[in-house]
Amino acid sequence: MQRYFVNNNSINKDLGLVRITDQDFHHIKNVMRMKENQELQIVNENGDVFLCKISKFFNHYVEIKIMTSVETDVELSTKVTIALGMVRREKTEEVLRRIAELGASGFVSVKLSRSLIKPNNDEKKINRMKTIAKEACEQSHRNKLMEVYPNLNFSNFIKFSKNYDLCLVAYEEAGRENNFSLKKLIKKYKDKNILVLVGPEGGFSEQEIEILINNQFKLIGLGPRILRVETAPLYIMAAISYETELENES
Amino acid sequence: MQRYFVNNNSINKDLGLVRITDQDFHHIKNVMRMKENQELQIVNENGDVFLCKISKFFNHYVEIKIMTSVETDVELSTKVTIALGMVRREKTEEVLRRIAELGASGFVSVKLSRSLIKPNNDEKKINRMKTIAKEACEQSHRNKLMEVYPNLNFSNFIKFSKNYDLCLVAYEEAGRENNFSLKKLIKKYKDKNILVLVGPEGGFSEQEIEILINNQFKLIGLGPRILRVETAPLYIMAAISYETELENES
């Protein structure tokens, strides 16, 4: 069933009605071509899910009736933000889509010395990234939207990292020396806030690695094969889900 | 350093020379624009890696001198073949690239009742898939090429599955009931041959699931979120690498 994230202020609790406008209105009316009385799911900003029915189409919005609340929680207990060294737009968008699907809480692009792309915090670009994340979260029936942060330069990223309980860098060299065990850290930091930085194609400079280490970042490896920039974040998200969500016995 | 897979018969052991023709010749000469004396790596069909130097360019081939053998083995000890319900070409190709990178041993497309695409074993198409797999294996510095099998219909796929020690189906419904624990199976079948079937967008028919179960396929879930067809194979490959290749302590 189709699912839409809505702002709390578009829900009228007393009347049990939701008003949907703009892009989602367009999606319901013109893309899904839904009709009155058709069912859909609504998720509010707290992650509560409601089974609803389309009540009436108006010129610029659709009114939706809440039928019942649905008990589901498919969120990862570990809150993971993926930080990606700035790469080409198509790669960034692919990572956005897949990590949203795999349960990430946040995404941020970081300008590193070997990034070939300049940061661009044009509102239109950031909104496009947010739309991609929203659609992916809706498709995979998440309870929470993945946050998309504005692009950061390296020094602001270091400040940003202070909000996290654990900060990791996927560092190719670390795979061989295996500085820290990803397994041990995932188990230890279950239910915590984790930030994971993945470099751009050219990797990190020595100076960047030094600064990261001095700021409590831990180097981790992701196995013996060389993973592309777009694949490393998926490996990390799948590993955290596998470790913390799948049953050991059955 | 650039790496190329070569057939054993293009290596002259006595002279320590390798002759590279066709696509790889074109790649070395025109894409990488390599020059005489430049270094590259060659991998033979047994997975042995050699450090080489370009010795001389001829009209239709390049001659390469073997310098020394390199000790590396980055292959997964579990041999994993991913079987994908037939989907659109771009999706198939994306899965091919990523699972090659993540260490899969084989790939096969299967025509299921809800596949929207017809099987096409046109030699050109299969060769294109093999080229994609080869390039991805070279880029991620694998020792072995990932095998690409011709597309199979469902009954031939069931016969094909008899070659494996363990056969799995990623089945959305199973995620909830959790029929079998992927964790337990990955640990138990380390160093074995595993076949994992992922459905097309529409999923499996009840009849297909029944036939799979009757043929020793085990149903597994991949966590509580709905994963797209292209993401499920990556989750499985990352999970197997994470479980079997990463250190527990450090």
Side-chain angles (χ1 to χ4, degrees):
Chain A
M1 189 179 305
Q2 201 65 26
R3 172 175 287 206
Y4 297 91
F5 286 92
V6 300
N7 294 326
N8 287 352
N9 63 21
S10 50
I11 304 178
N12 183 326
K13 271 195 194 163
D14 300 334
L15 300 176
L17 290 176
V18 186
R19 179 181 286 204
I20 291 185
T21 60
D22 301 323
Q23 282 187 353
D24 286 341
F25 170 59
H26 166 75
H27 195 265
I28 289 172
K29 191 176 169 210
N30 303 317
V31 180
M32 300 304 295
R33 296 184 187 177
M34 296 183 81
K35 305 286 170 216
E36 286 173 12
N37 284 321
Q38 246 187 290
E39 291 186 341
L40 54 105
Q41 288 181 350
I42 291 295
V43 190
N44 69 15
E45 293 172 52
N46 318 324
D48 306 319
V49 185
F50 300 97
L51 178 65
C52 303
K53 253 188 192 169
I54 292 190
S55 147
K56 197 165 162 55
F57 282 96
F58 294 88
N59 266 349
H60 297 293
Y61 66 94
V62 55
E63 198 175 76
I64 284 166
K65 175 86 191 142
I66 294 177
M67 313 293 291
T68 175
S69 113
V70 182
E71 298 273 343
T72 57
D73 185 5
V74 301
E75 292 300 308
L76 264 179
S77 67
T78 316
K79 302 294 165 229
V80 189
T81 294
I82 297 288
L84 188 66
M86 213 153 264
V87 293
R88 281 210 334 267
R89 199 189 74 188
E90 311 85 78
K91 291 194 180 186
T92 306
E93 294 185 354
E94 202 206 312
V95 169
L96 265 175
R97 265 188 210 100
R98 299 242 182 269
I99 64 169
E101 212 181 315
L102 288 162
S105 297
F107 174 84
V108 61
S109 247
V110 186
K111 172 78 177 79
L112 294 167
S113 59
R114 294 187 189 157
S115 291
L116 300 171
I117 309 290
K118 285 193 200 136
N120 180 336
N121 275 323
D122 183 49
E123 203 187 334
K124 239 169 115 183
K125 296 221 168 166
I126 298 291
N127 281 342
R128 184 181 153 83
M129 286 167 70
K130 287 189 178 177
T131 303
I132 290 171
K134 180 171 179 287
E135 285 174 359
C137 289
E138 287 170 348
Q139 273 183 28
S140 47
H141 281 202
R142 299 267 309 260
N143 296 69
K144 294 270 176 153
L145 271 177
M146 183 175 84
E147 189 90 39
V148 177
Y149 301 98
N151 304 322
L152 296 176
N153 64 29
F154 190 58
S155 64
N156 283 331
F157 172 69
I158 295 292
K159 287 179 203 148
F160 176 86
S161 74
K162 305 301 176 195
N163 302 315
Y164 291 84
D165 303 311
L166 173 67
C167 298
L168 303 175
V169 199
Y171 189 55
E172 212 182 277
E173 260 56 22
R176 287 143 204 174
E177 300 161 20
N178 210 0
N179 297 17
F180 281 90
S181 157
L182 181 61
K183 273 187 186 171
K184 213 172 155 182
L185 292 170
I186 290 179
K187 287 177 193 162
K188 188 169 166 193
Y189 286 86
K190 199 178 178 246
D191 306 323
K192 300 280 186 188
N193 281 304
I194 303 186
L195 177 66
V196 191
L197 176 61
V198 172
E201 283 87 352
F204 301 96
S205 72
E206 275 179 40
Q207 204 200 351
E208 280 165 348
I209 286 292
E210 205 183 306
I211 294 171
L212 290 164
I213 291 171
N214 289 339
N215 283 279
Q216 273 65 56
F217 275 76
K218 290 184 161 65
L219 272 48
I220 51 158
L222 302 176
R225 286 167 301 285
I226 294 171
L227 298 183
R228 278 186 297 178
V229 169
E230 315 93 276
T231 311
L234 319 183
Y235 185 109
I236 292 159
M237 293 309 306
I240 294 174
S241 162
Y242 172 81
E243 182 65 75
T244 64
E245 297 188 315
L246 298 200
E247 302 282 336
N248 271 307
E249 297 294 325
S250 66
Chain B
M1 190 179 303
Q2 202 65 28
R3 173 176 285 208
Y4 297 91
F5 286 93
V6 301
N7 295 326
N8 286 352
N9 63 22
S10 50
I11 303 177
N12 182 326
K13 271 195 196 163
D14 299 333
L15 300 177
L17 291 175
V18 186
R19 177 180 288 205
I20 292 186
T21 59
D22 301 324
Q23 281 186 352
D24 286 341
F25 169 59
H26 166 74
H27 195 265
I28 289 172
K29 192 178 169 211
N30 303 317
V31 180
M32 300 304 295
R33 295 184 188 179
M34 296 182 82
K35 306 284 170 217
E36 285 173 13
N37 283 321
Q38 246 187 289
E39 290 187 341
L40 55 108
Q41 289 181 347
I42 291 297
V43 190
N44 69 15
E45 292 172 53
N46 318 325
D48 305 319
V49 184
F50 299 96
L51 177 65
C52 303
K53 254 190 192 168
I54 293 191
S55 144
K56 198 168 163 49
F57 283 96
F58 294 89
N59 267 349
H60 296 293
Y61 66 93
V62 54
E63 198 175 78
I64 284 166
K65 176 86 191 143
I66 294 177
M67 314 293 291
T68 174
S69 114
V70 182
E71 297 273 343
T72 59
D73 186 5
V74 300
E75 293 299 307
L76 264 179
S77 66
T78 315
K79 301 294 165 228
V80 189
T81 295
I82 297 287
L84 188 65
M86 214 153 263
V87 293
R88 282 210 334 267
R89 199 190 73 188
E90 311 85 79
K91 292 193 181 190
T92 307
E93 293 183 355
E94 203 207 312
V95 170
L96 263 176
R97 265 188 211 99
R98 298 243 183 270
I99 64 169
E101 213 180 316
L102 288 161
S105 297
F107 174 84
V108 61
S109 247
V110 186
K111 172 79 178 76
L112 294 167
S113 59
R114 294 186 191 158
S115 290
L116 301 171
I117 309 288
K118 284 190 200 141
N120 180 337
N121 274 323
D122 183 47
E123 202 185 335
K124 239 168 114 184
K125 296 220 167 170
I126 297 291
N127 280 342
R128 183 181 152 84
M129 288 167 69
K130 287 189 178 176
T131 302
I132 290 171
K134 178 170 179 289
E135 285 173 0
C137 289
E138 286 170 349
Q139 272 182 30
S140 45
H141 280 202
R142 299 267 311 260
N143 296 69
K144 294 271 175 150
L145 271 177
M146 183 176 85
E147 189 88 39
V148 177
Y149 301 98
N151 303 322
L152 295 177
N153 64 28
F154 190 59
S155 63
N156 282 333
F157 173 68
I158 295 292
K159 285 179 204 148
F160 176 86
S161 74
K162 304 302 175 195
N163 301 317
Y164 290 84
D165 301 312
L166 173 68
C167 298
L168 303 175
V169 199
Y171 189 55
E172 213 183 277
E173 260 56 21
R176 287 143 202 173
E177 299 161 20
N178 209 2
N179 296 18
F180 280 90
S181 156
L182 181 60
K183 273 187 187 171
K184 212 172 154 181
L185 292 170
I186 289 178
K187 287 176 193 163
K188 188 168 167 193
Y189 286 86
K190 198 176 181 248
D191 307 322
K192 301 280 185 187
N193 281 304
I194 302 187
L195 176 66
V196 191
L197 175 62
V198 172
E201 282 87 351
F204 299 97
S205 72
E206 277 180 39
Q207 204 200 352
E208 281 165 348
I209 287 292
E210 205 184 307
I211 294 170
L212 290 165
I213 291 173
N214 289 341
N215 283 279
Q216 272 67 56
F217 274 77
K218 290 183 162 65
L219 271 48
I220 52 157
L222 302 177
R225 287 167 301 284
I226 295 171
L227 298 183
R228 278 186 296 178
V229 169
E230 315 93 278
T231 311
L234 318 183
Y235 185 110
I236 292 159
M237 292 310 305
I240 294 173
S241 162
Y242 173 82
E243 182 64 76
T244 64
E245 295 188 315
L246 298 201
E247 303 282 334
N248 271 307
E249 298 293 326
S250 66

